[in-house]
Amino acid sequence: MGRIFISAGHGGYENGALDPGVIAGGTTEAQEMILLRDLIVAELRSRPGVEVLTVPDNLSMSQSISWINSRARSSDVALEIQANAFANPTGRGASVYYIANNDQRKQNAEQLLLSLLRRVPQLPNRGVKPDTATTLGNLPFNRWVITPSLLMEVCFLTNPEDRSLLQNRRRDFAVGIAEGLVAWAAGTPLPEPLPPGTSTPVPPTYPPISININGQIYGEQGVIINGNAYIPIDVADSFKVNLSTNATIRRVTYRNIVYVRAIELREHDISVSWDGGTRTVLLRSILQICPGYLDRIMGHGNTSEVQLIVFLKGNNPQAIVQFPDLPKLYREEAAIEGINYDIAFCQMCLETNFLRFNGEIQPTQNNFAGLGSLGGGNTAASFPSARIGVRAHIQHLKAYASIEPLVMEQVDPRFRFVARGIAPLLAQLSGRWAADLQYGQKILALLRRLYESSGLL
């Protein structure tokens, strides 16, 4: 069984101050979630073989994610618990958010939610939801925690009935959530009970699945274990992926064949998807992109303008309304300076949350990369047009990734302050372009999503 990470949402420090979260009925979300978290942890630790790690309460969201990622193994799971709130006090119920387009995580969310509701049936079921259904369009805890993760809203703190249930039946909440977490964190299934009169375990039997590699059916079959597709390790060898020394990869020996979880291959630039109709796991290697150049900022892009538009609209249907020419501008401006426009475009998507501009920067500033201005302070730069804003972004990337001179007239206000050529790779932007030490990895994750959605990876 993998370890369980659990975080009490809010109650940490945001922007240097304690964040109490929702305040209702003389209590706070921080207070209620910490109390519930402590009971869940106690319940988990009372069970044999269960290891649980508690995220410290004095961390911000980004720090909590980094704390988990620095300790997580591939077999672990992570849960954040929060309380919901609504201006109308009639809003009630529990829900669980999972990363969009991940059927396995959706099943985990359903299992966890039903486990809670079995213990507290008076709590309305608001269902499981993809994180794209939130106001922000995604949830960092679902997106950036490297181990499988879910975010649960246990009730509406602003509803008197929900609040009373939580405060008076807190242990039932804790037991239900703990039972769901144990089921989720379990590795391979336990052996079936021994039939009467036998003295040796009956080997488990797993349902077979087909394997499709680059459009062709593979000669061997895979298996389904706990809802996950497992493939013979020979398949990884056929992609020239060496897993023999990777201790984090989940392995299962079944009928004298070693199997690995198919989804693990995504970390080796292999696209992994599932066809439920034919019960086939679909694997595709990079067709048009060289793995060794995937994270190099200097270079050329691989997508078309249409593919960039489709990717952007798929994550924010309203994105193109205000900036209809942005994909075209990124392709043109990046090509002039020799920057990989796919990388620049994905960085824009990360910085603006797919042009939602949820931070301090406003759309009218045409600042698509969080660029600072001259003169000190925390004022972000503004540009007279979208093209000039894109050009400044491209120039700032070139300052980091290359020592070559600019082709176009300088419009990036902080170009000369960058140590030229210090960050030719995406990972080297972490802690430099942004304080986030996972910054480059987040852009790379978006880049892979772009290439997968475009059929290039």
Side-chain angles (χ1 to χ4, degrees):
M1 175 185 293
R3 301 173 304 169
I4 299 170
F5 288 85
I6 185 163
S7 169
H10 300 283
Y13 282 79
E14 298 290 347
N15 300 318
L18 181 67
D19 176 13
V22 181
I23 302 174
T27 187
T28 67
E29 180 181 21
Q31 177 180 332
E32 298 298 331
M33 292 304 101
I34 290 172
L35 288 172
L36 177 59
R37 186 272 319 281
D38 290 346
L39 280 179
I40 296 171
V41 170
E43 181 65 30
L44 289 170
R45 287 176 176 164
S46 71
R47 298 166 182 256
V50 177
E51 184 178 356
V52 58
L53 289 84
T54 305
V55 178
D57 291 321
N58 63 343
L59 302 181
S60 66
M61 171 60 76
S62 61
Q63 290 170 333
S64 296
I65 292 171
S66 296
W67 190 91
I68 295 172
N69 288 345
S70 66
R71 294 162 173 79
R73 305 167 186 164
S74 61
S75 58
D76 299 337
V77 299
L79 173 69
E80 173 154 301
I81 54 172
Q82 293 186 5
N84 209 334
F86 192 56
N88 185 338
T90 61
R92 295 194 62 194
S95 56
V96 179
Y97 287 91
Y98 62 93
I99 187 170
N101 302 316
N102 189 318
D103 291 338
Q104 179 58 44
R105 206 67 61 244
K106 181 181 179 182
Q107 292 176 17
N108 300 144
E110 290 169 343
Q111 180 183 41
L112 184 63
L113 182 58
L114 290 176
S115 182
L116 168 61
L117 297 177
R118 277 196 296 268
R119 290 286 179 172
V120 192
Q122 298 83 1
L123 192 64
N125 182 352
R126 294 178 62 85
V128 301
K129 305 172 185 180
D131 66 347
T132 50
T134 62
T135 304
L136 294 176
N138 63 70
L139 293 173
F141 196 84
N142 291 139
R143 298 275 168 161
W144 307 127
V145 173
I146 61 176
T147 195
S149 57
L150 296 171
L151 187 148
M152 169 179 272
E153 292 181 336
V154 299
C155 69
F156 275 72
L157 203 59
T158 47
N159 178 270
E161 293 176 77
D162 275 17
R163 191 168 62 247
S164 177
L165 275 174
L166 176 63
Q167 293 175 335
N168 294 300
R169 298 185 57 189
R170 201 184 309 274
R171 188 174 185 280
D172 289 331
F173 277 72
V175 171
I177 294 172
E179 289 172 342
L181 283 170
V182 170
W184 179 24
T188 54
L190 294 174
E192 296 294 329
L194 296 179
T198 61
S199 58
T200 57
V202 176
T205 300
Y206 302 124
I209 57 172
S210 299
I211 303 171
N212 185 304
I213 299 178
N214 291 335
Q216 301 294 321
I217 294 297
Y218 189 64
E220 283 190 281
Q221 289 186 314
V223 292
I224 291 291
I225 303 176
N226 279 352
N228 289 286
Y230 278 71
I231 57 175
I233 197 167
D234 299 339
V235 175
D237 294 337
S238 70
F239 282 116
K240 310 301 184 188
V241 174
N242 181 13
L243 302 180
S244 61
T245 59
N246 191 333
T248 65
I249 298 293
R250 291 194 194 181
R251 293 173 173 81
V252 174
T253 300
Y254 178 57
R255 295 180 177 174
N256 298 318
I257 297 174
V258 177
Y259 291 81
V260 295
R261 268 205 326 173
I263 201 71
E264 309 280 9
L265 294 183
R266 281 188 172 173
E267 297 302 316
H268 298 272
D269 302 319
I270 306 297
S271 172
V272 182
S273 56
W274 173 254
D275 183 343
T278 60
R279 294 183 59 78
T280 302
V281 61
L282 308 174
L283 308 174
R284 184 171 293 277
S285 61
I286 294 173
L287 300 180
Q288 302 165 9
I289 305 164
C290 176
Y293 290 84
L294 194 64
D295 62 345
R296 294 191 181 183
I297 297 170
M298 299 300 296
H300 59 83
N302 296 280
T303 58
S304 66
E305 182 179 338
V306 171
Q307 287 169 330
L308 292 178
I309 292 173
V310 169
F311 180 67
L312 189 56
K313 291 184 69 175
N315 288 277
N316 178 10
Q318 303 302 315
I320 302 298
V321 174
Q322 188 164 3
F323 297 102
D325 297 327
L326 207 59
K328 176 183 177 183
L329 296 179
Y330 267 97
R331 283 168 52 86
E332 292 176 351
E333 294 295 328
I336 291 172
E337 299 292 352
I339 295 290
N340 183 326
Y341 59 78
D342 291 333
I343 285 178
F345 191 81
C346 287
Q347 186 181 24
M348 177 277 296
C349 291
L350 177 63
E351 286 282 351
T352 66
N353 192 15
F354 294 95
L355 295 177
R356 290 184 178 89
F357 292 95
N358 303 121
E360 297 179 358
I361 297 176
Q362 300 301 309
T364 53
Q365 291 178 254
N366 294 306
N367 186 341
F368 305 107
L371 299 179
S373 62
L374 295 178
N378 296 319
T379 305
S382 295
F383 302 98
S385 67
R387 180 176 289 277
I388 299 302
V390 171
R391 183 173 298 170
H393 178 192
I394 296 300
Q395 290 181 352
H396 207 63
L397 272 176
K398 188 170 185 177
Y400 274 104
S402 171
I403 60 173
E404 294 295 320
L406 292 174
V407 176
M408 303 296 289
E409 181 181 353
Q410 180 184 322
V411 295
D412 170 21
R414 303 194 63 82
F415 182 87
R416 68 179 185 273
F417 298 113
V418 177
R420 296 298 309 277
I422 198 171
L425 303 178
L426 273 177
Q428 294 165 333
L429 294 180
S430 301
R432 288 193 171 100
W433 193 293
D436 185 358
L437 297 182
Q438 299 293 318
Y439 185 74
Q441 287 81 351
K442 290 177 180 179
I443 299 173
L444 186 59
L446 284 177
L447 185 65
R448 287 197 175 102
R449 284 174 54 196
L450 168 63
Y451 286 159
E452 286 192 4
S453 69
S454 303
L456 300 177
L457 193 149

